[in-house]
Amino acid sequence: MSVRPVPRSAVERIDPWRLRIRAFDPSMRSEGRIYASEGLWPAIRDDGSLSQVVDVAGLPGIVGPSIAMPDAHQGYGFPIGGVAATSERDGVVSPGGVGFDINCGVRLLSSGLSAPEVRARLDPLLAAVARRVPVGFDAARDRSVSGHAMDDLLAQGAAWAVRAGWGRAEDLDRIEDRGTFSTADPAMVSARARERGRDQVGTLGSGNHFVEVQAVEAVDDPDAARAMGLVEGGVAVLLHTGSRGLGHQVCTDQLVLMQQAMRRYGIRVADRQLACAPVASEEGRAYLGAMGAAANYAWANRQVLTHLIGEAFLEVFGPLADLSVVYDVAHNIARIERHRVDGRPVPLCVHRKGATRAFPAGHPDLPIGVRALGQPVFIPGSMGTASWVLLGTERALDETWGSVCHGAGRTLSRTAARRGRSAADVLADLAARGVTVHAGSRKGLSEEAPESYKDVDLVVGTVVGAGLALPVARLVPMGVIKG
DNA sequence: ATGTAC
């Protein structure tokens, strides 16, 4: 783990939203850049993520700065809330730049219902969702996927789910990469990973994963909101989950292979958690193939969950409910993308770890359902607090390879959070704020207490202030299902 | 994040 001290003199504030870490050490191949307002800076300055930004700046073939978003906190090798691009030709790819929960991401659904209508039947609705969606350690044995079906799922992602009867074909027009990571290679996914994934398709998991029923509290951009099916006083559903045990096992498997590759290629990095291999090497391609297959698992998972949530709404509200996919973003992923470097388009391996792609309107990589609008970005707050809908900008494309933050960001570790608050206490607080919680475990409630996170409004204020995203709407929770 | 530890 990184313990490198970062001298105060190496850090300078550029403007109210940006700081720069100059290359103060010969190991740094580029600068660091941190997006943080005055108020958010101390949490990053005093956290292990600061030295991780410096470590990542030393990765072979890094192009542009090592970036930390305002929700940054310490992760495995890379900070969570980190963005780094490497040259496809002579740079490396690092599993630590994606994280263990490959294609952890969020999907927003519009409902066509109003907040008073939903509030009147919130308990039966949450019960109907909870009956269909396994949480925590619960599996989905009735949906067991193995053998050739698993190969298809790993190759096709959300498209597999639609073909299997989960949701609508038009949903695919509103998912990053249309829900299919095109260079996925199921052959790179181990038997153990497949076994772990077999009974977890259409399950939520635990930790910060959730299904949240939200009211649209305020709209900043009515036209963009309307194009997303969001109106003030309306109801949306935010779904946050990833690739479950399968993605975790893929990351574990690939880290072992990367450690061997490092020795073979003679690559040296500041921290063994930054294990990596050349993007263009056999090992680099194997990682991206396995990671892509796990990404597809996550997209299939969110697609199946969408269908299950839709069934619950239908049971409670009948044909009044019209659940539609607004968009689905991956916030833990690495991908080869073409970006302008010194005026020329160059293929880069963009690592986004706890960071959301935020491409502007008209970008050719956006699926047709949102291309004219620009990429919707969803920033969940902590449990019981607000979430934001944003749009990507040209400035983000220029400065951060088209990326912004992914959430509020932890300020307390899970263990510290557990010491801080009892589950009953957290539950009572949320009830007092008018938020109903169905929780799978007491431990999860303590870990996810809002005090363990930064203020999401300040985090969003920084990326909006910096011009990386445009605000569209602020959503507040009514009911939440936690793992 | 994770059959929360090979």
Side-chain angles (χ1 to χ4, degrees), chain A residues 12-102:
Chain A
E12 63 177 4
R13 182 166 279 287
I14 300 170
D15 66 20
W17 318 111
R18 294 169 179 80
L19 299 107
R20 184 173 90 99
I21 308 174
R22 68 179 169 77
F24 65 88
D25 185 279
S27 69
M28 291 176 75
R29 294 172 154 96
S30 63
E31 305 187 333
R33 187 185 305 141
I34 295 163
Y35 289 85
S37 59
E38 281 292 349
L40 290 172
W41 165 236
I44 298 172
R45 181 194 64 203
D46 301 336
D47 179 72
S49 52
L50 186 63
S51 58
Q52 291 187 321
V53 171
V54 172
D55 292 344
V56 169
L59 281 182
I62 188 167
V63 178
S66 166
I67 299 167
M69 290 294 164
D71 53 342
H73 54 108
Q74 190 175 344
Y76 182 90
F78 281 58
I80 295 161
V83 179
T86 50
S87 163
E88 187 195 27
R89 208 183 51 190
D90 50 20
V92 296
V93 59
S94 174
V98 173
F100 279 82
D101 191 1
I102 294 165

Side-chain angles (χ1 to χ4, degrees), chain A residues 414-469:
Chain A
R414 291 177 191 283
T415 33
R418 280 207 296 275
R419 281 195 292 270
R421 295 282 298 281
S422 78
D425 199 26
V426 173
L427 214 52
D429 252 23
L430 290 169
R433 292 196 223 172
V435 183
T436 309
V437 182
H438 278 231
S441 79
R442 298 170 54 79
K443 192 177 79 171
L445 274 174
S446 292
E447 288 180 356
E448 298 302 316
E451 299 77 19
S452 314
Y453 283 85
K454 300 179 198 184
D455 182 336
V456 70
D457 292 347
L458 298 180
V459 170
V460 166
T462 292
V463 295
V464 168
L468 303 181

Side-chain angles (χ1 to χ4, degrees), chain A residues 111-120 233-235 317 478:
Chain A
S111 76
L113 298 167
S114 72
E117 278 177 297
V118 171
R119 201 170 289 287
V235 168
F317 296 102
M478 301 169 69

Side-chain angles (χ1 to χ4, degrees), chain A residues 292-449:
Chain A
N296 282 338
Y297 186 95
W299 273 316
N301 188 29
R302 293 198 286 275
Q303 184 66 26
V304 172
L305 285 165
T306 298
H307 186 79
L308 297 172
I309 296 163
E311 281 182 352
F313 270 76
L314 204 61
E315 179 191 311
V316 176
F317 296 102
L320 276 177
D322 177 23
L323 229 56
S324 302
V325 177
V326 177
Y327 200 57
D328 177 312
V329 300
H331 59 217
N332 280 3
I333 203 160
R335 191 197 280 104
I336 307 298
E337 294 174 352
R338 293 183 86 79
H339 287 275
R340 283 199 171 274
V341 178
D342 300 329
R344 287 202 200 136
V346 175
L348 300 175
C349 180
V350 182
H351 301 73
R352 294 189 185 89
K353 182 193 197 175
T356 311
R357 200 166 76 167
F359 283 175
H363 195 289
D365 287 358
L366 291 177
I368 199 70
V370 298
R371 195 174 300 161
L373 180 67
Q375 190 192 306
V377 171
F378 308 126
I379 310 296
S382 51
M383 181 173 59
T385 64
S387 299
W388 284 85
V389 178
L390 313 174
L391 278 175
T393 64
E394 290 285 350
R395 181 140 194 200
L397 199 58
D398 288 345
E399 272 190 34
T400 61
W401 316 118
S403 316
V404 294
C405 56
H406 85 307
R410 279 195 165 277
T411 49
L412 289 181
S413 71
R414 291 177 191 283
T415 33
R418 280 207 296 275
R419 281 195 292 270
R421 295 282 298 281
S422 78
D425 199 26
V426 173
L427 214 52
D429 252 23
L430 290 169
R433 292 196 223 172
V435 183
T436 309
V437 182
H438 278 231
S441 79
R442 298 170 54 79
K443 192 177 79 171
L445 274 174
S446 292
E447 288 180 356
E448 298 302 316

Side-chain angles (χ1 to χ4, degrees), chain A residues 220-231:
Chain A
D220 296 280
D221 183 338
D223 291 339
R226 204 172 305 110
M228 297 185 199
L230 304 175
V231 291

Side-chain angles (χ1 to χ4, degrees), chain A residues 211-224:
Chain A
V211 180
E212 194 162 281
V213 179
Q214 305 178 329
V216 181
E217 182 215 48
V219 170
D220 296 280
D221 183 338
D223 291 339

Side-chain angles (χ1 to χ4, degrees), chain A residues 72 103 146 196 256 278 298 390 399 456 459 475:
Chain A
N103 191 5
S146 57
R196 287 181 68 173
V256 174
L390 313 174
E399 272 190 34
V456 70
V459 170
L475 314 182

